[in-house]
Amino acid sequence: MTDTLTRDAIAQKIKRLEYRNMAFIDGHFVPARSGKTFPTLNPATGEVLTEVAACDTEDVDLAVKAARRAFDLGVWSRLAPAERKAIMKRFADLIDEHRLELAILESLEAGKPIGECFNVDIPDTANTIRWNAETADKLYDAVAPTAPDVVATVRREPLGVVGAVLPWNFPAMMVGWKLGPALVTGNCVIVKPAQLTSLTTIRIAELGHQAGIPAGVLNVVPGLGSTAGQALGMHPDVDLIAFTGSTAVGRRFLEYSAATNLKRVALELGGKNPQVVMPDVSDLKTVASNVLASAFWNMGENCSAGSRLIVHRSIKDALLDEMLVQLETEWKTGDPLDPEVRLGALIQKDHMDKVLGFIDRAKAAGLTALTGGEQILEETGGYFVAPTIFDDVPTDAEIAREEIFGPVLAVIPFDTEDEAIAIANDTCYGLAASLWSDDLSTVHRMSAAIRAGTVSVNCFSEGDITTPFGGYKQSGFGGRDKSVYAHEHYTELKTTWIKVG
Ligand code: NDP
């Protein structure tokens, strides 16, 4: 890995940057059949980066046909697992080799800080594909405990054609989380990136092709949700939709499935995640730095953002004081291409206005922002919102209940452990939670009581590639991203029952 993250390296790379902005179908870049395009913008400046192919029903159908053909020919699904592993490892290596280029694309199109893209998002994408690749020839299927006159094998088989529909907040990571398990289990995939962030996904597909993934196995159809997304959801020859995005659109995919071929639907949806801080914590500095990271990482545009700080009343003010100091000194906001910046731009003006709407309504309801509460850096033309903390938020306030998907933290005090658990679970979501306590028994009791897919204790974490990621309740169902558990929703179980003569 030769790339380093310096201002000079970034400037040099940007000069030579070429945008891949067409669909990628059956191993070729192609324009949309209609010839239509849509602009994709840099949210830090409001400027158009390029025009992207606007795929619709016809393009999706071409991609599904290419994927089905590749699947039926067995050019991928019937490779020896070790061969799939080798190609996927090359794919991961190529992502690593293009780390800076991909990090810049990701930062330019999504407004994300380049340091995060370079140090977290792109390496995580490569690592996810590599880790899944390694499982190809290490997981065994089963022989059932039948009577001696029968041999019954239970094998996992690929589903066939998978549609992956992605959100805009982690474009590269989400493509990795879907492609890793889908490809290693032998499926052919059509990816529909979010219209706001297509560029990294298209480039990653090209690198996959370069690594040796056969034509038709990995396709990308950029376009709008209401056109390309719906066409994929409704297509009668798609076997699974693996979706990450909002709960509202997740519901739509269930409707598409019910109205068509009962395709499987795996949903990773939203969250309104609690961070519970118990009064026995001794290291408030560490708690403060993790609470801030959980709330404001990726500008709060994160399904696992800890947007509710549920803190014991006796330590609330001391913790908030420490957080305000760290926010001031350690959280530089501004140009996402500056390696020192930790808070970049929100994804688009409409989304910024939505976030500011939540803030304005909270103020109108009498809540006080301890810090932030407004748009900043307007002179850049970009969509920046100051990190915002509201203190003493009632549990029924809009900002304590709705997923804001922006840098807004609601602080909710509590007095007893039971009250803390009740507040943490008082949400229709259950994606992630953090718990802070120095007492082992408290940790065991409370982490069991909190209803969330991942409870991180004394840290802010989504786990790593070895642990499943996904939610309880309306945060999704039908599958988990990451770990070998993810393979389950990309495979069918096939029983072969052999009578022994
Ligand atoms: P959306 O649900 O709006 O969009 C997700 C994808 O669905 C996009 O590709 C979008 O297309 C597409 N889409 C939109 N409408 C339709 C439709 N009617 N039919 C078919 N497809 C459609 O989510 P966002 O992109 O705004 O992402 C934010 C959401 O994602 C948040 O709620 C967040 O919590 C959740 N999320 C969950 C994660 C998890 O792992 N649980 C991880 C990351 C985010 P387009 O935008 O191009 O129109």
Side-chain angles (χ1 to χ4, degrees):
M1 202 181 297
T2 50
D3 286 333
T4 49
L5 190 65
T6 61
R7 283 166 211 272
D8 189 45
I10 295 168
Q12 294 303 324
K13 191 67 88 179
I14 285 181
K15 273 192 211 151
R16 300 194 303 274
L17 207 56
E18 285 175 24
Y19 299 120
R20 308 297 195 273
N21 52 11
M22 285 197 260
F24 190 74
I25 298 177
D26 211 7
H28 300 286
F29 283 120
V30 287
R33 296 287 281 199
S34 65
K36 286 187 188 158
T37 60
F38 61 87
T40 187
L41 308 186
N42 177 349
T45 61
E47 288 162 6
V48 174
L49 292 168
T50 184
E51 293 279 333
V52 179
C55 291
D56 205 332
T57 311
E58 216 184 330
D59 311 282
V60 168
D61 191 49
L62 282 175
V64 173
K65 285 199 168 84
R68 178 59 64 190
R69 203 164 41 243
F71 185 72
D72 289 346
L73 286 171
V75 291
W76 185 248
S77 61
R78 291 205 285 272
L79 282 186
E83 288 179 69
R84 274 207 297 276
K85 176 175 80 171
I87 294 172
M88 286 180 68
K89 285 178 73 176
R90 264 202 305 277
F91 184 16
D93 290 346
L94 281 174
I95 292 173
D96 277 338
E97 279 168 34
H98 293 81
R99 179 178 175 190
L100 183 56
E101 176 197 344
L102 291 168
I104 289 172
L105 283 176
E106 192 90 335
S107 176
L108 279 176
E109 208 182 15
K112 294 157 70 86
I114 185 83
E116 298 286 347
C117 300
F118 186 80
N119 293 312
V120 181
D121 296 55
I122 304 304
D124 181 281
T125 308
N127 188 40
T128 301
I129 289 171
R130 185 176 294 114
W131 188 90
N132 276 283
E134 286 291 354
T135 67
D137 57 358
K138 295 180 184 61
L139 295 179
Y140 292 72
D141 289 319
V143 177
T146 57
D149 62 339
V150 167
V151 175
T153 57
V154 183
R155 296 164 60 103
R156 282 163 298 143
E157 293 197 335
L159 287 177
V161 175
V162 169
V165 181
L166 308 181
W168 43 257
N169 57 343
F170 291 94
M173 261 162 79
M174 291 305 109
V175 90
W177 288 16
K178 304 298 184 210
L179 288 184
L183 289 176
V184 79
T185 47
N187 295 283
C188 297
V189 187
I190 298 125
V191 185
K192 205 297 273 179
Q195 56 153 312
L196 298 168
T197 53
S198 315
L199 299 179
T200 348
T201 303
I202 304 174
R203 180 73 173 120
I204 285 174
E206 185 185 22
L207 295 175
H209 185 65
Q210 222 172 299
I213 294 177
V217 174
L218 170 50
N219 309 276
V220 181
V221 286
L224 312 193
S226 54
T227 55
Q230 177 159 345
L232 204 50
M234 294 287 285
H235 201 290
D237 205 22
V238 170
D239 298 299
L240 163 75
I241 291 289
F243 173 76
T244 295
S246 62
T247 300
V249 176
R251 277 182 219 282
R252 300 294 296 270
F253 278 101
L254 291 173
E255 290 166 9
Y256 299 152
S257 169
T260 56
N261 61 339
L262 289 183
K263 59 178 67 63
R264 288 194 198 179
V265 180
L267 302 176
E268 297 294 354
L269 308 174
K272 187 71 189 174
N273 310 291
Q275 307 194 62
V276 180
V277 185
M278 299 304 285
D280 60 57
V281 289
S282 51
D283 182 0
L284 276 187
K285 274 192 171 28
T286 302
V287 178
S289 106
N290 280 267
V291 167
L292 290 172
S294 174
F296 299 137
W297 179 49
N298 208 52
M299 294 70 72
E301 293 172 329
N302 178 13
C303 54
S304 63
S307 53
R308 293 184 295 148
L309 172 58
I310 301 166
V311 54
H312 195 271
R313 204 178 298 278
S314 65
I315 55 164
K316 176 176 74 75
D317 289 345
L319 179 61
L320 288 175
D321 286 348
E322 178 60 34
M323 284 164 55
L324 290 175
V325 170
Q326 291 188 16
L327 203 50
E328 179 69 26
T329 52
E330 296 172 19
W331 283 79
K332 185 174 175 187
T333 306
D335 179 6
L337 289 175
D338 175 347
E340 285 171 14
V341 156
R342 287 186 76 182
L343 270 161
L346 297 194
I347 186 72
Q348 62 170 171
K349 182 172 184 315
D350 283 359
H351 185 62
M352 177 183 72
D353 290 343
K354 189 174 150 204
V355 171
L356 291 171
F358 279 109
I359 292 172
D360 290 345
R361 287 192 296 280
K363 287 180 180 167
L367 296 175
T368 312
L370 289 181
T371 184
E374 64 203 351
Q375 182 184 359
I376 52 172
L377 302 170
E378 275 177 76
E379 66 285 1
T380 60
Y383 316 127
F384 296 88
V385 171
T388 301
I389 301 175
F390 281 100
D391 193 7
D392 286 320
V393 176
T395 54
D396 61 354
E398 185 188 41
I399 58 166
R401 307 206 71 79
E402 298 286 326
E403 183 182 45
I404 299 172
F405 230 55
V408 182
L409 177 64
V411 180
I412 306 170
F414 71 88
D415 295 298
T416 67
E417 182 178 313
D418 285 348
E419 193 188 354
I421 293 168
I423 297 170
N425 288 337
D426 182 17
T427 167
C428 66
Y429 298 109
L431 186 57
S434 304
L435 172 64
W436 292 87
S437 169
D438 288 358
D439 181 80
L440 200 56
S441 297
T442 305
V443 163
H444 280 294
R445 234 180 8 254
M446 292 190 71
S447 59
I450 293 173
R451 305 275 300 157
T454 301
V455 180
S456 56
V457 177
N458 293 336
C459 61
F460 158 57
S461 173
E462 295 179 350
D464 65 14
I465 183 62
T466 64
T467 55
F469 182 78
Y472 287 19
K473 301 193 267 183
Q474 291 183 36
S475 291
F477 67 89
R480 286 285 188 266
D481 281 330
K482 303 195 303 177
S483 85
V484 289
Y485 293 98
H487 295 189
E488 287 169 17
H489 56 271
Y490 292 98
T491 48
E492 290 281 17
L493 283 185
K494 157 77 68 67
T495 298
T496 309
W497 181 270
I498 305 166
K499 185 89 175 106
V500 179

